Amino acid sequence: NEKSFGSAKRALYAAILHQQVGLDFIVDQHAADGTLAKYKVLYLTDNHVSQASSKHIAQWVKNGGTLFATAGAGMFDEYNQPNSIMRGLYGVEQTALDAPANAQVGFLKEDLPFKNAIDTVTLKIDGKEYTLPALGIRSRITLKGADALGKFSDGSPALATRKVGKG
């Protein structure tokens, strides 16, 4: 929740609210009690997700849920071990998580205008190519069943998507 991780969560929260979409916060134990069943989309932002919750999230996606995970989200379990369930669900393997000290964004309005990009991401959407800055955090991944939606400047995957079951 510190530095760029915290500000990215706050920015995602504001973006969702500005779309006038209802938003609830789900804590770890609610993944296991059936609460997820009433939701269509889950935004996952924390690096650590318990093994028990990971199993429920994976099943929820297979049943038709849409999971959106930010850089590093769910890559480790409650024991700080690689989370094979979430990595398998995503179809990616994280090889590194870059968060350079001089690139951290603590407060969006104060810090963001003065930070240099740590990389660029190129996306192709509907035949058009877009280049965006990567700010604060960069998750280095290899694809293990997912498809790349965007690439970093070195050609490595920056964004990935994967269909699992109905989700």
Side-chain angles (χ1 to χ4, degrees), residues 49-156:
V49 176
S50 71
Q51 290 289 321
S53 289
S54 296
K55 290 176 186 175
H56 291 286
I57 291 169
Q59 188 59 51
W60 173 80
V61 170
K62 289 176 186 172
N63 291 339
T66 298
L67 177 62
F68 174 92
T70 60
M75 289 293 160
F76 296 93
D77 67 13
E78 67 269 39
Y79 304 109
N80 202 34
Q81 297 300 307
N83 190 332
S84 60
I85 297 167
M86 296 306 290
R87 291 172 187 229
L89 180 63
Y90 301 154
V92 303
E93 188 65 36
Q94 181 173 277
T95 57
L97 186 64
D98 304 333
N102 65 344
Q104 293 303 293
V105 177
F107 297 101
L108 293 172
K109 290 181 180 180
E110 285 181 29
D111 299 337
L112 198 55
F114 305 104
K115 294 296 178 180
N116 293 321
I118 59 175
D119 206 338
T120 57
V121 176
T122 303
L123 307 166
K124 283 188 180 179
I125 302 172
D126 297 329
K128 291 184 178 182
E129 194 169 279
Y130 301 91
T131 302
L132 307 168
L135 299 163
I137 304 164
R138 172 182 48 205
S139 180
R140 299 276 186 184
I141 57 171
T142 57
L143 302 178
K144 304 281 186 175
D147 297 313
L149 288 178
K151 297 185 181 214
F152 287 118
S153 60
D154 65 1
S156 65

Side-chain angles (χ1 to χ4, degrees), residues 24 26 34-41 60:
D24 290 331
I26 299 175
T35 299
L36 281 178
K38 67 181 183 178
Y39 296 99
K40 294 179 183 178
V41 179
W60 173 80

